[in-house]
Structures are given as C-alpha cells and as structure tokens.
Amino acid sequence: MMASWWWMWMFFMLVFLVPPLGYGWGYRGWGPPYPSYIQRRRGQRAAAMDAPSSFNHHSWSWGGDVIWGVLLVGLLWGASAWWR
C-alpha cells in the first residue's frame, strides 16, 4: 500500500514542486529556496553590508518554507521504509 502512496507523492512533487523551483530559481533568478529564517538572516546581512537594492531577501517568502516542508515529508517518508 505504501508504494502506491509513494508514487502519488512523487507525482505531487513533480507537478507542484519542480515548476515553482524552475520558475523562481531559474527564470526569476531568486536563487535557492532558503527557509524564512535563513532569508531573514540574509536580509540583515545585506542591509549591514549596504548591498545593492536589487537584492530581495524576501523573494521566496513562505514558498521556500513550503518547498522545504514537502522535501522534509518526502525524506521522512522514504526513511520510514528503513525503520521497519
């Protein structure tokens, strides 16, 4: 039963995770989808260094958290197969 749910999760990740990554990271040039905590630290560091105004440390906002959440669920799900 788990195998069918795993394939459905992989389909979900390919349909709902890969396009935003390609759009944000590639086309928009937002960089990797860091979690919000790291984005805040990058923004503080950029403000302290007087970085150019084109630097947008909020570029991924909660979208980066969603991407990391989906990856974390997938990792836990994959690792649970080894726990049995």
mmCIF file of all heavy atoms in Angstrom, residues 21-56:
data_model
loop_
_atom_site.group_PDB
_atom_site.id
_atom_site.type_symbol
_atom_site.label_atom_id
_atom_site.label_comp_id
_atom_site.label_asym_id
_atom_site.label_seq_id
_atom_site.Cartn_x
_atom_site.Cartn_y
_atom_site.Cartn_z
ATOM 1 N N LEU A 21 10.189 25.710 -8.544
ATOM 2 C CA LEU A 21 11.645 25.786 -8.416
ATOM 3 C C LEU A 21 12.276 26.299 -9.708
ATOM 4 O O LEU A 21 13.155 27.145 -9.688
ATOM 5 C CB LEU A 21 12.225 24.417 -8.071
ATOM 6 C CG LEU A 21 12.220 24.037 -6.612
ATOM 7 C CD1 LEU A 21 12.685 22.607 -6.441
ATOM 8 C CD2 LEU A 21 13.091 24.964 -5.815
ATOM 9 N N GLY A 22 11.806 25.770 -10.833
ATOM 10 C CA GLY A 22 12.336 26.220 -12.111
ATOM 11 C C GLY A 22 12.027 27.680 -12.373
ATOM 12 O O GLY A 22 12.863 28.430 -12.878
ATOM 13 N N TYR A 23 10.829 28.104 -12.032
ATOM 14 C CA TYR A 23 10.429 29.493 -12.243
ATOM 15 C C TYR A 23 11.185 30.437 -11.312
ATOM 16 O O TYR A 23 11.723 31.450 -11.755
ATOM 17 C CB TYR A 23 8.928 29.624 -12.022
ATOM 18 C CG TYR A 23 8.429 31.043 -12.111
ATOM 19 C CD1 TYR A 23 8.357 31.689 -13.334
ATOM 20 C CD2 TYR A 23 8.033 31.727 -10.979
ATOM 21 C CE1 TYR A 23 7.898 32.989 -13.422
ATOM 22 C CE2 TYR A 23 7.577 33.027 -11.049
ATOM 23 C CZ TYR A 23 7.508 33.657 -12.278
ATOM 24 O OH TYR A 23 7.060 34.941 -12.348
ATOM 25 N N GLY A 24 11.221 30.111 -10.037
ATOM 26 C CA GLY A 24 11.848 31.004 -9.073
ATOM 27 C C GLY A 24 13.356 31.008 -9.152
ATOM 28 O O GLY A 24 13.997 32.051 -9.131
ATOM 29 N N TRP A 25 13.921 29.842 -9.247
ATOM 30 C CA TRP A 25 15.370 29.732 -9.227
ATOM 31 C C TRP A 25 15.975 30.080 -10.588
ATOM 32 O O TRP A 25 16.957 30.800 -10.679
ATOM 33 C CB TRP A 25 15.766 28.331 -8.835
ATOM 34 C CG TRP A 25 17.166 28.161 -8.342
ATOM 35 C CD1 TRP A 25 18.239 28.975 -8.547
ATOM 36 C CD2 TRP A 25 17.647 27.092 -7.550
ATOM 37 N NE1 TRP A 25 19.354 28.484 -7.943
ATOM 38 C CE2 TRP A 25 19.015 27.315 -7.316
ATOM 39 C CE3 TRP A 25 17.068 25.964 -7.029
ATOM 40 C CZ2 TRP A 25 19.802 26.446 -6.577
ATOM 41 C CZ3 TRP A 25 17.855 25.105 -6.291
ATOM 42 C CH2 TRP A 25 19.208 25.346 -6.067
ATOM 43 N N GLY A 26 15.349 29.566 -11.632
ATOM 44 C CA GLY A 26 15.906 29.777 -12.958
ATOM 45 C C GLY A 26 15.467 31.068 -13.616
ATOM 46 O O GLY A 26 16.264 31.972 -13.847
ATOM 47 N N TYR A 27 14.171 31.191 -13.900
ATOM 48 C CA TYR A 27 13.676 32.329 -14.673
ATOM 49 C C TYR A 27 13.743 33.632 -13.892
ATOM 50 O O TYR A 27 14.205 34.649 -14.390
ATOM 51 C CB TYR A 27 12.241 32.050 -15.123
ATOM 52 C CG TYR A 27 11.605 33.178 -15.881
ATOM 53 C CD1 TYR A 27 11.999 33.442 -17.190
ATOM 54 C CD2 TYR A 27 10.642 33.980 -15.297
ATOM 55 C CE1 TYR A 27 11.435 34.479 -17.896
ATOM 56 C CE2 TYR A 27 10.073 35.022 -15.988
ATOM 57 C CZ TYR A 27 10.476 35.275 -17.296
ATOM 58 O OH TYR A 27 9.907 36.308 -17.978
ATOM 59 N N ARG A 28 13.273 33.625 -12.654
ATOM 60 C CA ARG A 28 13.249 34.853 -11.860
ATOM 61 C C ARG A 28 14.602 35.182 -11.228
ATOM 62 O O ARG A 28 14.819 36.294 -10.799
ATOM 63 C CB ARG A 28 12.201 34.753 -10.749
ATOM 64 C CG ARG A 28 10.792 34.587 -11.221
ATOM 65 C CD ARG A 28 10.263 35.836 -11.801
ATOM 66 N NE ARG A 28 10.060 36.807 -10.735
ATOM 67 C CZ ARG A 28 9.468 37.947 -10.895
ATOM 68 N NH1 ARG A 28 9.008 38.289 -12.059
ATOM 69 N NH2 ARG A 28 9.320 38.769 -9.899
ATOM 70 N N GLY A 29 15.471 34.187 -11.137
ATOM 71 C CA GLY A 29 16.791 34.420 -10.562
ATOM 72 C C GLY A 29 16.765 34.650 -9.059
ATOM 73 O O GLY A 29 17.592 35.387 -8.528
ATOM 74 N N TRP A 30 15.816 34.024 -8.358
ATOM 75 C CA TRP A 30 15.686 34.212 -6.916
ATOM 76 C C TRP A 30 16.723 33.436 -6.129
ATOM 77 O O TRP A 30 16.882 33.631 -4.938
ATOM 78 C CB TRP A 30 14.306 33.768 -6.448
ATOM 79 C CG TRP A 30 13.208 34.684 -6.841
ATOM 80 C CD1 TRP A 30 13.333 35.956 -7.327
ATOM 81 C CD2 TRP A 30 11.824 34.423 -6.777
ATOM 82 N NE1 TRP A 30 12.108 36.491 -7.578
ATOM 83 C CE2 TRP A 30 11.152 35.561 -7.243
ATOM 84 C CE3 TRP A 30 11.073 33.331 -6.383
ATOM 85 C CZ2 TRP A 30 9.782 35.643 -7.320
ATOM 86 C CZ3 TRP A 30 9.699 33.408 -6.459
ATOM 87 C CH2 TRP A 30 9.070 34.553 -6.917
ATOM 88 N N GLY A 31 17.390 32.517 -6.749
ATOM 89 C CA GLY A 31 18.350 31.690 -6.026
ATOM 90 C C GLY A 31 17.651 30.512 -5.373
ATOM 91 O O GLY A 31 16.467 30.278 -5.571
ATOM 92 N N PRO A 32 18.376 29.754 -4.576
ATOM 93 C CA PRO A 32 17.774 28.586 -3.939
ATOM 94 C C PRO A 32 16.694 28.999 -2.943
ATOM 95 O O PRO A 32 16.760 30.075 -2.360
ATOM 96 C CB PRO A 32 18.950 27.908 -3.240
ATOM 97 C CG PRO A 32 20.025 28.910 -3.187
ATOM 98 C CD PRO A 32 19.785 29.905 -4.258
ATOM 99 N N PRO A 33 15.687 28.146 -2.741
ATOM 100 C CA PRO A 33 14.570 28.478 -1.843
ATOM 101 C C PRO A 33 14.929 28.260 -0.380
ATOM 102 O O PRO A 33 14.573 27.268 0.231
ATOM 103 C CB PRO A 33 13.464 27.519 -2.287
ATOM 104 C CG PRO A 33 14.203 26.345 -2.816
ATOM 105 C CD PRO A 33 15.450 26.882 -3.438
ATOM 106 N N TYR A 34 15.650 29.209 0.184
ATOM 107 C CA TYR A 34 16.022 29.103 1.592
ATOM 108 C C TYR A 34 14.792 29.230 2.481
ATOM 109 O O TYR A 34 13.849 29.933 2.135
ATOM 110 C CB TYR A 34 17.010 30.207 1.971
ATOM 111 C CG TYR A 34 18.337 30.110 1.286
ATOM 112 C CD1 TYR A 34 18.729 31.067 0.367
ATOM 113 C CD2 TYR A 34 19.199 29.069 1.564
ATOM 114 C CE1 TYR A 34 19.950 30.991 -0.259
ATOM 115 C CE2 TYR A 34 20.431 28.988 0.939
ATOM 116 C CZ TYR A 34 20.797 29.949 0.029
ATOM 117 O OH TYR A 34 22.005 29.861 -0.582
ATOM 118 N N PRO A 35 14.793 28.593 3.651
ATOM 119 C CA PRO A 35 13.699 28.805 4.613
ATOM 120 C C PRO A 35 13.656 30.258 5.093
ATOM 121 O O PRO A 35 14.629 31.005 4.958
ATOM 122 C CB PRO A 35 14.047 27.863 5.768
ATOM 123 C CG PRO A 35 14.984 26.863 5.192
ATOM 124 C CD PRO A 35 15.720 27.563 4.091
ATOM 125 N N SER A 36 12.532 30.670 5.670
ATOM 126 C CA SER A 36 12.336 32.066 6.083
ATOM 127 C C SER A 36 13.402 32.545 7.060
ATOM 128 O O SER A 36 13.844 33.696 6.992
ATOM 129 C CB SER A 36 10.965 32.232 6.730
ATOM 130 O OG SER A 36 9.964 31.996 5.790
ATOM 131 N N TYR A 37 13.801 31.676 7.986
ATOM 132 C CA TYR A 37 14.810 32.064 8.971
ATOM 133 C C TYR A 37 16.106 32.480 8.286
ATOM 134 O O TYR A 37 16.706 33.502 8.611
ATOM 135 C CB TYR A 37 15.057 30.909 9.939
ATOM 136 C CG TYR A 37 16.234 31.144 10.852
ATOM 137 C CD1 TYR A 37 16.152 32.053 11.897
ATOM 138 C CD2 TYR A 37 17.434 30.467 10.663
ATOM 139 C CE1 TYR A 37 17.231 32.284 12.732
ATOM 140 C CE2 TYR A 37 18.514 30.685 11.486
ATOM 141 C CZ TYR A 37 18.408 31.596 12.521
ATOM 142 O OH TYR A 37 19.482 31.829 13.330
ATOM 143 N N ILE A 38 16.530 31.692 7.319
ATOM 144 C CA ILE A 38 17.773 31.998 6.611
ATOM 145 C C ILE A 38 17.587 33.231 5.736
ATOM 146 O O ILE A 38 18.494 34.058 5.618
ATOM 147 C CB ILE A 38 18.243 30.776 5.804
ATOM 148 C CG1 ILE A 38 18.611 29.651 6.777
ATOM 149 C CG2 ILE A 38 19.418 31.121 4.906
ATOM 150 C CD1 ILE A 38 18.965 28.354 6.128
ATOM 151 N N GLN A 39 16.390 33.396 5.145
ATOM 152 C CA GLN A 39 16.131 34.584 4.337
ATOM 153 C C GLN A 39 16.248 35.848 5.181
ATOM 154 O O GLN A 39 16.791 36.860 4.738
ATOM 155 C CB GLN A 39 14.738 34.520 3.704
ATOM 156 C CG GLN A 39 14.618 33.510 2.607
ATOM 157 C CD GLN A 39 15.317 33.936 1.327
ATOM 158 O OE1 GLN A 39 16.130 34.849 1.299
ATOM 159 N NE2 GLN A 39 15.011 33.255 0.258
ATOM 160 N N ARG A 40 15.701 35.821 6.416
ATOM 161 C CA ARG A 40 15.810 36.982 7.301
ATOM 162 C C ARG A 40 17.267 37.289 7.614
ATOM 163 O O ARG A 40 17.680 38.450 7.609
ATOM 164 C CB ARG A 40 15.031 36.737 8.596
ATOM 165 C CG ARG A 40 13.561 36.971 8.462
ATOM 166 C CD ARG A 40 12.887 37.015 9.820
ATOM 167 N NE ARG A 40 13.091 35.813 10.621
ATOM 168 C CZ ARG A 40 12.362 34.707 10.530
ATOM 169 N NH1 ARG A 40 11.372 34.646 9.673
ATOM 170 N NH2 ARG A 40 12.610 33.670 11.299
ATOM 171 N N ARG A 41 18.051 36.270 7.892
ATOM 172 C CA ARG A 41 19.469 36.489 8.192
ATOM 173 C C ARG A 41 20.202 37.052 6.979
ATOM 174 O O ARG A 41 21.060 37.929 7.123
ATOM 175 C CB ARG A 41 20.118 35.184 8.633
ATOM 176 C CG ARG A 41 19.642 34.752 10.013
ATOM 177 C CD ARG A 41 20.344 33.519 10.513
ATOM 178 N NE ARG A 41 21.786 33.615 10.393
ATOM 179 C CZ ARG A 41 22.582 32.593 10.142
ATOM 180 N NH1 ARG A 41 22.081 31.393 10.022
ATOM 181 N NH2 ARG A 41 23.876 32.743 10.054
ATOM 182 N N ARG A 42 19.870 36.570 5.783
ATOM 183 C CA ARG A 42 20.499 37.101 4.577
ATOM 184 C C ARG A 42 20.131 38.568 4.384
ATOM 185 O O ARG A 42 20.957 39.373 3.954
ATOM 186 C CB ARG A 42 20.067 36.298 3.353
ATOM 187 C CG ARG A 42 20.628 34.890 3.319
ATOM 188 C CD ARG A 42 20.164 34.148 2.098
ATOM 189 N NE ARG A 42 20.860 34.679 0.933
ATOM 190 C CZ ARG A 42 20.342 34.702 -0.292
ATOM 191 N NH1 ARG A 42 19.124 34.264 -0.508
ATOM 192 N NH2 ARG A 42 21.029 35.176 -1.296
ATOM 193 N N GLY A 43 18.873 38.913 4.695
ATOM 194 C CA GLY A 43 18.446 40.303 4.567
ATOM 195 C C GLY A 43 19.165 41.213 5.545
ATOM 196 O O GLY A 43 19.564 42.333 5.193
ATOM 197 N N GLN A 44 19.340 40.744 6.775
ATOM 198 C CA GLN A 44 20.057 41.536 7.765
ATOM 199 C C GLN A 44 21.515 41.731 7.357
ATOM 200 O O GLN A 44 22.084 42.813 7.491
ATOM 201 C CB GLN A 44 19.969 40.869 9.131
ATOM 202 C CG GLN A 44 18.582 40.874 9.721
ATOM 203 C CD GLN A 44 18.452 39.944 10.910
ATOM 204 O OE1 GLN A 44 19.378 39.184 11.220
ATOM 205 N NE2 GLN A 44 17.307 39.995 11.566
ATOM 206 N N ARG A 45 22.101 40.665 6.846
ATOM 207 C CA ARG A 45 23.495 40.753 6.413
ATOM 208 C C ARG A 45 23.630 41.706 5.224
ATOM 209 O O ARG A 45 24.560 42.498 5.142
ATOM 210 C CB ARG A 45 24.013 39.364 6.030
ATOM 211 C CG ARG A 45 25.497 39.344 5.784
ATOM 212 C CD ARG A 45 26.046 37.967 5.458
ATOM 213 N NE ARG A 45 25.442 36.907 6.232
ATOM 214 C CZ ARG A 45 25.034 35.752 5.700
ATOM 215 N NH1 ARG A 45 25.157 35.518 4.421
ATOM 216 N NH2 ARG A 45 24.502 34.826 6.461
ATOM 217 N N ALA A 46 22.677 41.649 4.290
ATOM 218 C CA ALA A 46 22.724 42.535 3.125
ATOM 219 C C ALA A 46 22.538 43.992 3.541
ATOM 220 O O ALA A 46 23.190 44.890 2.997
ATOM 221 C CB ALA A 46 21.657 42.134 2.127
ATOM 222 N N ALA A 47 21.656 44.239 4.513
ATOM 223 C CA ALA A 47 21.447 45.610 4.987
ATOM 224 C C ALA A 47 22.697 46.138 5.696
ATOM 225 O O ALA A 47 23.042 47.311 5.562
ATOM 226 C CB ALA A 47 20.250 45.659 5.920
ATOM 227 N N ALA A 48 23.364 45.265 6.433
ATOM 228 C CA ALA A 48 24.570 45.682 7.139
ATOM 229 C C ALA A 48 25.719 45.978 6.178
ATOM 230 O O ALA A 48 26.568 46.824 6.457
ATOM 231 C CB ALA A 48 24.992 44.614 8.136
ATOM 232 N N MET A 49 25.733 45.289 5.048
ATOM 233 C CA MET A 49 26.819 45.474 4.076
ATOM 234 C C MET A 49 26.461 46.494 3.006
ATOM 235 O O MET A 49 27.226 46.693 2.072
ATOM 236 C CB MET A 49 27.148 44.134 3.417
ATOM 237 C CG MET A 49 27.732 43.123 4.357
ATOM 238 S SD MET A 49 28.035 41.475 3.666
ATOM 239 C CE MET A 49 28.040 41.682 1.942
ATOM 240 N N ASP A 50 25.288 47.128 3.097
ATOM 241 C CA ASP A 50 24.825 48.072 2.074
ATOM 242 C C ASP A 50 24.819 47.423 0.692
ATOM 243 O O ASP A 50 25.391 47.948 -0.271
ATOM 244 C CB ASP A 50 25.680 49.343 2.051
ATOM 245 C CG ASP A 50 25.510 50.148 3.323
ATOM 246 O OD1 ASP A 50 24.411 50.079 3.918
ATOM 247 O OD2 ASP A 50 26.467 50.838 3.720
ATOM 248 N N ALA A 51 24.159 46.262 0.612
ATOM 249 C CA ALA A 51 24.061 45.542 -0.655
ATOM 250 C C ALA A 51 23.201 46.343 -1.633
ATOM 251 O O ALA A 51 22.417 47.197 -1.239
ATOM 252 C CB ALA A 51 23.440 44.173 -0.421
ATOM 253 N N PRO A 52 23.343 46.070 -2.911
ATOM 254 C CA PRO A 52 22.529 46.798 -3.890
ATOM 255 C C PRO A 52 21.038 46.585 -3.650
ATOM 256 O O PRO A 52 20.617 45.563 -3.116
ATOM 257 C CB PRO A 52 22.963 46.218 -5.237
ATOM 258 C CG PRO A 52 23.787 45.037 -4.940
ATOM 259 C CD PRO A 52 24.237 45.117 -3.523
ATOM 260 N N SER A 53 20.244 47.547 -4.061
ATOM 261 C CA SER A 53 18.804 47.480 -3.808
ATOM 262 C C SER A 53 18.129 46.368 -4.596
ATOM 263 O O SER A 53 16.981 46.038 -4.326
ATOM 264 C CB SER A 53 18.150 48.815 -4.136
ATOM 265 O OG SER A 53 18.340 49.109 -5.507
ATOM 266 N N SER A 54 18.800 45.777 -5.577
ATOM 267 C CA SER A 54 18.205 44.686 -6.344
ATOM 268 C C SER A 54 18.152 43.387 -5.537
ATOM 269 O O SER A 54 17.478 42.452 -5.929
ATOM 270 C CB SER A 54 18.981 44.461 -7.632
ATOM 271 O OG SER A 54 20.301 44.046 -7.322
ATOM 272 N N PHE A 55 18.859 43.327 -4.408
ATOM 273 C CA PHE A 55 18.845 42.137 -3.572
ATOM 274 C C PHE A 55 17.509 42.056 -2.845
ATOM 275 O O PHE A 55 17.144 42.961 -2.103
ATOM 276 C CB PHE A 55 19.989 42.178 -2.554
ATOM 277 C CG PHE A 55 20.025 40.986 -1.647
ATOM 278 C CD1 PHE A 55 20.522 39.780 -2.103
ATOM 279 C CD2 PHE A 55 19.552 41.060 -0.353
ATOM 280 C CE1 PHE A 55 20.558 38.678 -1.278
ATOM 281 C CE2 PHE A 55 19.580 39.967 0.477
ATOM 282 C CZ PHE A 55 20.086 38.768 0.013
ATOM 283 N N ASN A 56 16.756 40.990 -3.077
ATOM 284 C CA ASN A 56 15.453 40.817 -2.451
ATOM 285 C C ASN A 56 15.496 39.571 -1.589
ATOM 286 O O ASN A 56 15.344 38.462 -2.085
ATOM 287 C CB ASN A 56 14.352 40.711 -3.505
ATOM 288 C CG ASN A 56 12.985 40.607 -2.890
ATOM 289 O OD1 ASN A 56 12.817 40.682 -1.676
ATOM 290 N ND2 ASN A 56 11.982 40.435 -3.724
#
